[in-house]
Amino acid sequence: MVGDYINAINPVVAFSINVATQILCIRFVMKGLLKSLFSGFAIGLLSLLFVQLISVFLGKTFLPNLTVNIIIYSSLGYCYFHFINLGETARRIRILRELYDSKRGLTLEEILKCYNAKRMVELRLQRLLNNGQVILKGGKLYNGKPVLLLMSKTILLMKLIILGQKSEFD
Amino acid sequence: MIVGILVLCNLPDHSVCWGIPPPGRFVEYIQISSFFISLTLAYMITYSALEADSPSLVIVTTIANAGQNGLDKKKFDELMNDNILVNPRIRDLLLNKMVEMDEDRYVLTPKGALFARIFIIYREMMNVSRKGG
């Protein structure tokens, strides 16, 4: 009976450990957000495995329960990754934050003054140039390493399957 | 989820699917619900991420579409403008009632302020100071 409940709450507890570890890591241990997310996920996964092993001694079968709990834990971890990513990179959240910081709201010109395509593209293009995904040669831009292009094609395919269009402007 | 649980509740005790009997105890329903909820949340968040074209994706596909000859940097700068990258997101905020117009000013609605506050507090918890976006 106790084993059943431990088994059921195991992924949720492991996910809480994941979140707590990530926050502690980014605040006190490391600088990179991605590194802290991976660390949190790994520690949470280890705790899940540990509790799953304990539940074997309480009469629960190991492999089927582990499979289900890993799927639940990974899905929650995936959601958390997106939540953090949203706060960091989403344009909508950035605009919301700019509006929150202003007392009386902002006009379109004021929004574009503090957050515009030029600045956004400069930052991202520099990142792509630095890691070789894009190459600038003779004033022209070329695709470099194929990793991001492959990822883009996968995302476009997913968009086509799920949304029925390749781009929001189609 | 409620429909699924009702179906599972009404399955006869002797019905077995691929060697798995139907759930019998409350705790088994908890596990099924967490499985269902976690996958649904993952799908929802993937869907919302796919809805808007990410700037990096737009950059890479625009350059790829130019082909072997490459894309002129000046032309690229012209293509990557506010009408493609910023204005649609402001329109989304208006459509989702997170922002409303007060004459010519965009102001947050209570829903928008709540969303902004969630991310601001979370960023403070993580001690992230850069602006992001």
Side-chain angles (χ1 to χ4, degrees), chain B residues 25-106:
Chain B
R25 285 168 301 157
F26 176 67
V27 68
E28 289 175 314
Y29 285 102
I30 292 180
Q31 200 167 17
I32 291 168
S33 303
S34 24
F35 184 78
F36 181 85
I37 290 168
S38 61
L39 287 179
T40 307
L41 285 174
Y43 177 71
M44 279 166 66
I45 210 151
T46 305
Y47 189 93
S48 72
L50 285 176
E51 263 185 317
D53 291 346
S54 103
S56 299
L57 180 103
V58 175
I59 291 172
V60 171
T61 45
T62 308
I63 296 170
N65 289 342
Q68 300 248 318
N69 295 327
L71 179 66
D72 191 69
K73 178 73 169 62
K74 281 179 188 161
K75 178 97 184 288
F76 171 82
D77 291 335
E78 281 168 26
L79 288 170
M80 300 292 125
N81 56 47
D82 291 328
N83 287 331
I84 300 271
L85 295 171
V86 183
N87 294 349
R89 301 290 73 83
I90 298 174
R91 203 173 52 232
D92 284 349
L93 292 172
L94 283 167
L95 282 172
N96 293 326
K97 296 190 171 34
M98 291 196 194
V99 166
E100 60 192 8
M101 296 300 294
D102 179 13
E103 294 178 5
D104 65 335
R105 306 186 83 82
Y106 292 89

Side-chain angles (χ1 to χ4, degrees), chain A residues 4 80 88 91 97 159, chain B residues 25 53 122-123 131 133:
Chain A
D4 289 338
Y80 184 61
E88 277 306 293
R91 288 160 286 170
R97 284 183 6 233
K159 281 169 88 97
Chain B
R25 285 168 301 157
D53 291 346
Y122 212 84
R123 285 169 65 85
K131 284 216 155 185

Side-chain angles (χ1 to χ4, degrees), chain B residues 113-129:
Chain B
L114 177 71
F115 261 84
R117 213 173 296 138
I118 289 171
F119 285 98
I120 288 167
I121 290 170
Y122 212 84
R123 285 169 65 85
E124 277 170 8
M125 267 170 67
M126 291 195 301
N127 218 7
V128 180
S129 55

Side-chain angles (χ1 to χ4, degrees), chain A residues 150-167:
Chain A
L150 270 171
M151 277 167 68
S152 303
K153 283 184 178 169
T154 312
I155 293 169
L156 288 178
L157 184 68
M158 281 172 74
K159 281 169 88 97
L160 201 61
I161 293 168
I162 296 174
L163 305 172
Q165 57 188 32
K166 274 188 174 180
S167 161

